Amino acid sequence: DGMNELNQEQFDNKFETVKRRFQQFGDRVEFLRMTSEETSKVFEDNSIENFITGIPDMNEVNMDLDNYINFFYKSARLIFKKLSKTGYAIFVQTDRKINGTWLSKFNLLTNISKEFNLNLMWHKIVLQRDVGSIHLQRPTFSNIMCYSFTNKPGRRTKSLLGNKALNSKVPVEASKEVFTKSSLPSNL
């Protein structure tokens, strides 16, 4: 998919594109461009009201499978630890096929969420390619998952979201569908 071939300028451009998508929320959204390690030093536990994030894929951090799973668990634990008891953590993740084995990031996140007594509010499937398409290393869809300690899921939206990505891991139409003022809980 070309993610491991992006240079810093391309990552910077992607970051700016994502920021533009969330402009409609005004000062309700703050962008933090830091690692989970840096975040853990800056913010107290249970102090961040909401997260919308994606933990980098294995090829983006250049790790073998064991190190990547440890990195993924550590990152998710830090996010859940910093999440407010009234907040939401939304993850956009794409599974991988590694040496013939499926790595389900939905499964990893859900296992970790149980350690923190978090509930899965909703899980959306976002098509990255046309139905019936095949990719050797990864599925042709991404997962968008929302976890919370005490909240409710909010207004119901489609479970299967579509069309192809345009310079992004999250298809534009899917992000419009999920990340709109009317479909998110009121505190997000």
Side-chain angles (χ1 to χ4, degrees), residues 22 34 40 46 68 78-79 98 106 130 137-138 163 170:
F22 288 91
M34 57 179 65
S40 71
N46 305 114
Y68 177 73
L78 285 170
I79 291 167
I98 302 159
F106 166 74
D130 293 330
Q137 270 93 27
R138 62 178 57 229
N163 86 37
V170 182

Side-chain angles (χ1 to χ4, degrees), residues 4-18:
N4 56 344
E5 299 166 11
L6 293 180
N7 61 37
Q8 187 61 50
E9 180 181 353
Q10 290 167 315
F11 273 114
D12 292 343
N13 289 338
K14 288 176 77 62
F15 181 75
E16 292 304 318
T17 299
V18 170

Side-chain angles (χ1 to χ4, degrees), residues 125-144:
I125 301 295
V126 183
L127 298 178
Q128 296 288 357
R129 293 185 171 80
D130 293 330
V131 173
S133 296
I134 296 172
H135 188 284
L136 293 176
Q137 270 93 27
R138 62 178 57 229
T140 58
F141 64 88
S142 291
N143 301 282
I144 303 179

Side-chain angles (χ1 to χ4, degrees), residues 113-162:
S113 73
K114 291 175 185 178
E115 293 176 20
F116 290 85
N117 294 314
L118 281 150
N119 299 305
L120 178 65
M121 297 289 98
W122 45 259
H123 178 194
K124 310 292 181 186
I125 301 295
V126 183
L127 298 178
Q128 296 288 357
R129 293 185 171 80
D130 293 330
V131 173
S133 296
I134 296 172
H135 188 284
L136 293 176
Q137 270 93 27
R138 62 178 57 229
T140 58
F141 64 88
S142 291
N143 301 282
I144 303 179
M145 300 144 298
C146 178
Y147 298 89
S148 181
F149 288 102
T150 59
N151 290 317
K152 303 224 182 291
R155 183 179 69 85
R156 290 173 34 159
T157 60
K158 298 174 188 174
S159 296
L160 180 64
L161 305 167

